[in-house]
Amino acid sequence: MVSYTTETIIDEWFSIFRKMFDAASPQVIVRSPGRVNLIGEHTDYNLGYVLPAAIDKAMYFALSPRTDTKCRIYALDIREWYEGDVRSLKHSEKRWPNYLLGVVDQLFKAGYQFGGFDCVFGGNVPIGAGLSSSAAIEGGLIFGLNEIFHLKIDKMTMVKLAQKAENEFVGVRCGIMDQFVNIFGEDKKVIRLDCRSLEYEQIPFERSSLSIILCETIARRELASSEYNVRRRQCEDGVKILSVMEPSIKSLRDVDLHLLERYKGVLLSPTVYNRCEYVVKENARVIQACEDLKRNDFASFGARMFESHEGLSKYYEVSNSELDFLVKKASEVKGVLGSRMMGAGFGGCTINLVEEEATESFTNEMKAHYQSKTSKDLIIHIAKLRSGTELIS
Ligand code: GLA
């Protein structure tokens, strides 16, 4: 297993590439991070607000162009090969190549010209943990191809193409948050992103007095992609109905609680109402959380994280019993400011804002609680906020 924390990363990736591709050297090595999201869940595809950050867990890509149109990709962590031709892309039955082929597909559709390539990638972003390993894979490849083929793609275009790759080739109708923060993330900062205008602000977040701790449930996330698309449709259904009454409404971003209340039970089914209400409230929470941040008021910030979880669990219904259990237990541990499920849901992890000095006791207590409830080990990650996708050689 490669060590991802030392200065030797570049050497290691050079030698991995040489081993896989007959002693040739890679032209570039790219680091592409996973992400956390402090607050603002399931708001991105409703054109609302989010507050994510890129982290110190990352995927690495070693890449070189070829003189023909072949593409050979090795997924180091699972020891699997994919071989194909960039000019005749076909969906792969193994799921993972589709995240990469989707990027190639989008680049061609957007009119970029390039040939084949050799690539090996891998890293320590846990898969299926809600840290967006998918955006790390898409972002890393698009960034790397841009470098080796001198495509001159600007960052915003990379974000949009990476998102489209997942929407169209993988078939998950994700919003823009993950790909955006993967490319635009900055050291020690969170990004307050307006998913409608794509205006954003980088806000310093990391403090020596605070830890961001992720509790990974290792619950299977089978429902994640199908139920994700269902939630998205339910929000669209709400917008469709509301826009008949109020034609200026184009997304849930244009809706407030007062207006929702007016049509409750009349036009909106209870389920659609709950989904819409959660999104409207969550958007308001992101704005308020940013105000808390400006005042350095992490107690209020954390309280909003708990509220966010309650909404996700009871009204958006994307949590599960393990995530709910972890958030409840976290709320009882000394030094915990906030806790909630993170990402698409149905498994994955919780994000916890904890006073730094309580880090160890939090870790021990949560592990013990989880073990006694589920007989499973709880995986703990301490996340540091780091820069977005970058060239490291
Ligand atoms: C996944 C998607 C994002 C976002 C979150 C939920 O991570 O990729 O676009 O919708 O779920 O907030």
Side-chain angles (χ1 to χ4, degrees):
M1 189 63 196
V2 180
S3 149
Y4 295 102
T5 51
T6 65
E7 298 300 315
T8 58
I9 285 174
I10 296 174
D11 288 349
E12 284 172 340
W13 281 93
F14 260 80
S15 70
I16 293 163
F17 190 93
R18 284 202 197 105
K19 201 165 124 203
M20 304 319 299
F21 295 108
D22 319 320
S25 291
Q27 196 177 95
V28 296
I29 296 174
V30 172
R31 171 192 163 274
S32 180
R35 63 105 186 87
V36 290
N37 184 24
L38 270 304
I39 195 160
E41 217 65 86
H42 288 273
T43 44
D44 61 351
Y45 54 84
N46 287 303
L47 306 188
Y49 299 99
V50 290
L51 198 65
I55 59 170
D56 53 345
K57 293 193 181 299
M59 291 293 182
Y60 293 88
F61 283 76
L63 276 164
S64 269
R66 295 174 57 90
T67 49
D68 56 16
T69 56
K70 263 198 200 159
C71 97
R72 296 188 299 174
I73 306 173
Y74 187 64
L76 181 70
D77 300 326
I78 51 172
R79 293 165 206 268
E80 279 187 11
W81 278 100
Y82 170 85
E83 289 203 26
D85 192 299
V86 293
R87 293 282 160 194
S88 56
L89 298 171
K90 290 184 204 74
H91 280 86
S92 168
E93 277 174 17
K94 302 176 195 161
R95 242 176 104 71
W96 66 265
N98 295 332
Y99 293 88
L100 302 160
L101 302 178
V103 165
V104 175
D105 178 50
Q106 283 304 324
L107 285 171
F108 282 131
K109 282 185 177 151
Y112 295 99
Q113 298 293 326
F114 55 97
F117 58 91
D118 287 337
C119 167
V120 45
F121 77 98
N124 62 354
V125 184
I127 309 287
L131 303 188
S132 202
S133 53
S134 52
I137 292 173
E138 293 147 3
L141 185 69
I142 200 163
F143 195 96
L145 294 178
N146 184 44
E147 286 294 327
I148 62 172
F149 294 117
H150 314 291
L151 302 176
K152 299 196 172 65
I153 315 174
D154 63 90
K155 281 184 162 190
M156 194 63 93
T157 305
M158 283 192 213
V159 169
K160 290 180 181 170
L161 293 178
Q163 181 200 8
K164 249 180 142 191
E166 184 151 343
N167 291 168
E168 292 180 9
F169 213 89
V170 181
V172 176
R173 297 180 63 211
C174 65
I176 202 163
M177 168 171 76
D178 300 350
Q179 291 79 9
F180 191 97
V181 68
N182 170 267
I183 296 288
F184 281 94
E186 281 187 9
D187 210 32
K188 299 185 169 54
K189 291 179 182 158
V190 289
I191 301 181
R192 174 192 183 277
L193 172 65
D194 175 339
C195 299
R196 180 164 66 181
S197 65
L198 297 185
E199 278 167 12
Y200 64 99
E201 189 187 349
Q202 304 274 8
I203 309 176
F205 189 92
E206 213 167 86
R207 310 276 195 281
S208 54
S209 56
L210 287 178
S211 297
I212 298 171
I213 310 181
L214 309 173
C215 295
E216 189 185 339
T217 60
I218 346 176
R220 284 176 299 160
R221 292 208 313 162
E222 275 144 14
L223 283 173
S225 51
S226 58
E227 283 297 313
Y228 184 94
N229 288 350
V230 171
R231 293 298 174 282
R232 198 169 166 158
R233 213 173 319 119
Q234 289 166 334
C235 293
E236 286 165 359
D237 287 349
V239 170
K240 219 180 283 163
I241 295 166
L242 293 169
S243 66
V244 172
M245 312 310 291
E246 315 263 346
S248 61
I249 293 173
K250 303 270 182 273
S251 70
L252 287 179
R253 177 67 177 278
D254 304 317
V255 173
D256 60 29
L257 287 179
H258 184 67
L259 190 137
L260 263 189
E261 185 71 27
R262 207 179 318 151
Y263 299 113
K264 183 177 185 178
V266 186
L267 294 166
L268 300 173
S269 70
T271 305
V272 170
Y273 180 84
N274 284 343
R275 307 297 190 242
C276 295
E277 188 194 46
Y278 160 76
V279 171
V280 171
K281 286 186 172 171
E282 181 77 349
N283 274 330
R285 276 191 286 269
V286 180
I287 305 292
Q288 288 154 355
C290 291
E291 294 302 315
D292 298 336
L293 207 50
K294 282 187 186 139
R295 290 194 315 273
N296 247 321
D297 182 354
F298 285 97
S300 300
F301 188 102
R304 293 189 210 285
M305 291 173 74
F306 282 119
E307 286 168 20
S308 167
H309 182 80
E310 183 166 314
L312 287 160
S313 176
K314 293 201 182 132
Y315 301 100
Y316 215 66
E317 295 181 280
V318 289
S319 185
N320 67 10
S321 56
E322 296 183 351
L323 294 165
D324 288 347
F325 174 78
L326 286 173
V327 171
K328 176 155 190 308
K329 284 295 161 200
S331 73
E332 293 161 9
V333 175
K334 200 164 163 271
V336 174
L337 299 165
S339 175
R340 60 180 206 80
M341 58 145 275
M342 188 178 74
F346 302 103
C349 62
T350 62
I351 177 167
N352 303 272
L353 196 58
V354 181
E355 285 166 4
E356 202 279 329
E357 54 195 28
T359 302
E360 204 183 317
S361 53
F362 172 82
T363 304
N364 294 339
E365 283 185 49
M366 293 302 287
K367 279 189 167 179
H369 285 310
Y370 198 66
Q371 177 63 240
S372 68
K373 164 92 178 172
T374 66
S375 311
K376 285 193 273 185
D377 289 335
L378 182 66
I379 302 181
I380 300 272
H381 309 278
I382 299 186
K384 299 282 177 206
L385 310 188
R386 293 293 173 261
S387 70
T389 297
E390 61 191 343
L391 208 57
I392 58 169
S393 78

XYZ file of all heavy atoms in Angstrom, residues 35 37 40-46 50 130-132 134-135 163 166-167 172-179 221 228 232 278 282 312 316 318 340-345, ligand 1:
334
model
N -13.881 15.557 -0.401
C -14.414 16.781 0.193
C -15.268 16.493 1.418
O -15.764 15.388 1.606
C -15.254 17.565 -0.809
C -16.509 16.863 -1.322
C -17.805 17.390 -0.721
N -18.963 16.616 -1.130
C -19.392 15.526 -0.504
N -18.740 15.075 0.556
N -20.450 14.863 -0.923
N -18.601 18.520 3.568
C -19.562 19.607 3.402
C -20.052 19.962 4.795
O -20.620 19.122 5.483
C -20.728 19.163 2.501
C -21.697 20.307 2.235
O -21.319 21.478 2.311
N -22.934 19.977 1.924
N -25.523 22.449 4.195
C -26.093 22.717 2.862
C -26.113 21.414 2.077
O -25.393 21.235 1.107
N -26.993 20.490 2.517
C -27.033 19.163 1.882
C -28.273 19.042 1.008
O -29.362 19.466 1.411
C -27.040 18.098 2.984
C -26.251 16.865 2.659
C -24.755 17.122 2.515
O -24.052 17.098 3.540
O -24.305 17.342 1.376
N -28.093 18.480 -0.169
C -29.179 18.328 -1.157
C -29.755 19.682 -1.575
O -30.916 19.767 -1.975
C -30.288 17.389 -0.640
C -29.859 15.948 -0.615
N -29.981 15.126 -1.712
C -29.277 15.205 0.353
C -29.504 13.920 -1.398
N -29.058 13.950 -0.155
N -28.968 20.702 -1.435
C -29.411 22.036 -1.866
C -28.820 22.398 -3.222
O -29.352 23.261 -3.904
C -28.976 23.104 -0.836
O -27.622 22.830 -0.476
C -29.852 23.090 0.397
N -27.714 21.734 -3.605
C -27.014 22.194 -4.828
C -27.868 22.037 -6.092
O -27.995 22.966 -6.881
C -25.616 21.552 -4.983
C -25.596 20.041 -5.099
O -26.650 19.395 -4.893
O -24.502 19.494 -5.404
N -28.511 20.867 -6.245
C -29.323 20.692 -7.460
C -30.648 21.443 -7.369
O -31.401 21.487 -8.332
C -29.540 19.201 -7.772
C -30.114 18.385 -6.637
C -31.475 18.341 -6.404
C -29.275 17.651 -5.795
C -32.005 17.587 -5.365
C -29.787 16.900 -4.756
C -31.154 16.869 -4.538
O -31.657 16.131 -3.505
N -30.920 22.039 -6.209
C -32.076 22.929 -6.086
C -31.645 24.388 -6.203
O -32.371 25.296 -5.801
C -32.782 22.673 -4.758
C -33.540 21.347 -4.783
O -34.390 21.152 -5.651
N -33.221 20.444 -3.873
N -24.322 25.939 -0.581
C -23.573 24.850 0.068
C -22.308 25.425 0.706
O -21.898 26.545 0.372
C -23.182 23.741 -0.952
C -24.395 22.968 -1.421
C -22.437 24.325 -2.156
N -19.170 8.900 1.266
C -19.775 10.231 1.209
C -18.739 11.340 1.143
O -19.034 12.499 1.410
N -17.492 10.997 0.797
C -16.440 12.024 0.680
C -16.173 12.377 -0.776
O -15.170 12.989 -1.111
C -15.136 11.534 1.329
C -15.223 11.124 2.788
C -13.832 10.854 3.338
C -15.863 12.225 3.603
N -17.060 11.927 -1.623
C -16.998 12.208 -3.048
C -15.733 11.732 -3.743
O -15.021 12.504 -4.395
C -17.225 13.696 -3.323
O -17.646 13.811 -4.654
N -16.000 10.021 -6.229
C -16.348 10.111 -7.660
C -15.882 11.439 -8.257
O -15.258 11.459 -9.320
C -17.846 9.903 -7.864
O -18.572 10.761 -7.032
N -16.151 12.545 -7.569
C -15.689 13.841 -8.095
C -14.162 13.904 -8.092
O -13.556 14.547 -8.958
C -16.275 14.990 -7.287
N -19.104 17.382 -13.875
C -20.464 17.121 -13.372
C -21.309 16.424 -14.450
O -22.015 15.459 -14.189
C -21.131 18.438 -12.954
C -22.535 18.218 -12.398
C -23.399 19.476 -12.425
O -23.012 20.497 -12.997
N -24.558 19.400 -11.801
N -20.709 12.743 -14.846
C -21.406 11.898 -13.870
C -22.909 11.830 -14.196
O -23.527 10.769 -14.108
C -21.186 12.427 -12.452
C -21.807 11.516 -11.421
C -21.104 11.517 -10.077
O -19.944 11.973 -9.991
O -21.723 11.051 -9.111
N -23.478 12.967 -14.592
C -24.911 12.991 -14.933
C -25.208 12.078 -16.106
O -26.136 11.281 -16.076
C -25.362 14.412 -15.321
C -25.376 15.398 -14.164
O -25.502 16.587 -14.361
N -25.230 14.924 -12.949
N -25.924 9.381 -12.527
C -26.361 9.986 -11.266
C -26.539 11.478 -11.521
O -25.611 12.146 -11.978
C -25.332 9.761 -10.132
C -25.770 10.486 -8.864
C -25.172 8.272 -9.858
N -27.735 11.987 -11.211
C -28.028 13.387 -11.553
C -27.529 14.322 -10.459
O -28.278 15.141 -9.915
C -29.528 13.545 -11.765
C -30.059 12.713 -12.935
C -31.529 12.909 -13.100
N -31.834 14.297 -13.437
C -32.960 14.918 -13.085
N -33.867 14.280 -12.391
N -33.161 16.171 -13.430
N -26.246 14.187 -10.101
C -25.687 14.969 -8.999
C -25.700 16.454 -9.320
O -25.748 16.856 -10.486
C -24.255 14.514 -8.708
S -23.126 14.833 -10.060
N -25.637 17.263 -8.260
C -25.495 18.715 -8.428
C -24.040 19.071 -8.688
O -23.226 18.189 -9.006
N -23.706 20.336 -8.477
C -22.377 20.804 -8.879
C -21.386 20.890 -7.721
O -20.193 21.089 -7.925
C -22.504 22.176 -9.586
C -21.292 22.434 -10.480
C -22.742 23.318 -8.582
C -21.484 23.527 -11.496
N -21.878 20.698 -6.485
C -21.023 20.952 -5.323
C -19.700 20.188 -5.346
O -18.630 20.783 -5.152
C -21.784 20.577 -4.049
C -20.906 20.513 -2.815
S -21.819 20.334 -1.308
C -22.299 18.610 -1.344
N -19.759 18.888 -5.560
C -18.555 18.065 -5.376
C -17.473 18.409 -6.390
O -16.290 18.541 -6.054
C -18.901 16.575 -5.479
C -19.912 16.162 -4.423
O -20.192 16.966 -3.528
O -20.415 15.031 -4.514
N -17.887 18.544 -7.641
C -16.909 18.856 -8.691
C -16.369 20.272 -8.490
O -15.194 20.537 -8.738
C -17.559 18.723 -10.080
C -17.895 17.282 -10.470
C -19.159 16.752 -9.825
O -19.920 17.491 -9.202
N -19.397 15.458 -9.961
N -24.313 1.630 0.618
C -25.068 2.784 0.126
C -25.838 2.444 -1.138
O -25.900 3.236 -2.054
C -24.095 3.941 -0.153
C -23.475 4.512 1.093
C -23.126 5.954 0.907
N -22.435 6.206 -0.347
C -22.331 7.394 -0.907
N -22.880 8.435 -0.348
N -21.668 7.552 -2.041
N -31.376 9.071 -4.637
C -30.900 10.437 -4.920
C -31.720 11.014 -6.073
O -32.244 12.124 -6.001
C -29.418 10.379 -5.284
C -28.783 11.736 -5.496
C -28.135 12.373 -4.442
C -28.828 12.379 -6.724
C -27.549 13.612 -4.617
C -28.248 13.620 -6.902
C -27.604 14.223 -5.855
O -27.030 15.463 -6.028
N -34.480 14.164 -6.179
C -34.346 15.252 -7.135
C -35.670 15.447 -7.889
O -36.123 16.566 -8.096
C -33.193 14.930 -8.100
C -32.738 16.146 -8.800
C -31.463 15.996 -9.549
N -31.400 17.179 -10.414
C -30.340 17.687 -10.928
N -29.189 17.130 -10.706
N -30.380 18.759 -11.686
N -37.743 21.145 3.682
C -36.372 20.903 4.138
C -35.381 21.763 3.343
O -34.506 22.412 3.912
C -35.984 19.413 4.020
C -34.490 19.257 4.012
C -33.755 19.374 5.190
C -33.794 19.119 2.801
C -32.372 19.344 5.174
C -32.410 19.079 2.782
C -31.704 19.198 3.962
O -30.334 19.196 3.955
N -32.930 24.542 4.752
C -31.487 24.267 4.719
C -30.733 25.429 4.053
O -29.661 25.814 4.495
C -31.216 22.935 3.988
C -29.749 22.515 3.914
C -29.191 21.922 5.214
O -29.842 22.007 6.274
O -28.069 21.377 5.167
N -32.684 16.337 7.402
C -32.300 15.278 6.453
C -32.906 13.940 6.853
O -33.279 13.129 6.010
C -30.774 15.160 6.410
C -30.061 16.295 5.678
C -28.600 16.370 6.079
C -30.186 16.118 4.160
N -36.359 14.971 4.761
C -35.809 14.620 3.440
C -35.634 13.104 3.329
O -35.510 12.554 2.240
C -34.490 15.363 3.198
C -34.310 15.752 1.746
C -35.156 16.685 1.147
C -33.332 15.167 0.957
C -35.031 17.025 -0.191
C -33.189 15.496 -0.384
C -34.039 16.423 -0.952
O -33.914 16.762 -2.280
N -33.166 10.888 4.023
C -31.996 10.283 3.366
C -30.979 9.757 4.383
O -29.860 9.404 4.018
C -31.297 11.284 2.393
C -32.154 11.528 1.167
C -30.953 12.597 3.086
N -23.764 15.898 11.967
C -24.838 15.578 11.017
C -24.341 14.582 9.979
O -23.125 14.401 9.829
C -25.357 16.837 10.322
C -24.298 17.579 9.535
C -24.919 18.802 8.877
N -24.176 19.167 7.705
C -24.267 18.594 6.514
N -25.079 17.573 6.314
N -23.549 18.996 5.516
N -25.288 13.934 9.300
C -24.875 13.074 8.186
C -24.380 13.966 7.058
O -24.770 15.121 6.964
C -26.014 12.175 7.709
C -27.275 12.892 7.255
S -28.126 12.072 5.876
C -27.274 12.720 4.452
N -23.526 13.414 6.219
C -22.929 14.248 5.177
C -23.041 13.563 3.815
O -22.928 12.352 3.707
C -21.459 14.466 5.510
C -20.780 15.480 4.615
S -19.082 15.717 5.115
C -18.341 14.206 4.531
N -23.281 14.369 2.782
C -23.323 13.834 1.420
C -24.719 13.354 1.046
O -25.729 13.757 1.637
N -24.768 12.449 0.079
C -26.050 11.998 -0.456
C -26.886 11.256 0.593
O -28.108 11.342 0.600
C -25.815 11.086 -1.657
N -26.246 10.516 1.494
C -26.953 9.829 2.568
C -27.076 8.328 2.364
O -26.354 7.744 1.558
C -23.799 14.074 -3.563
C -23.874 14.861 -4.859
C -23.862 16.365 -4.609
C -24.868 16.778 -3.546
C -24.789 15.856 -2.326
C -25.899 16.108 -1.339
O -22.554 14.244 -2.960
O -22.810 14.527 -5.718
O -24.078 17.061 -5.808
O -26.160 16.822 -4.067
O -24.823 14.484 -2.678
O -25.789 17.380 -0.819
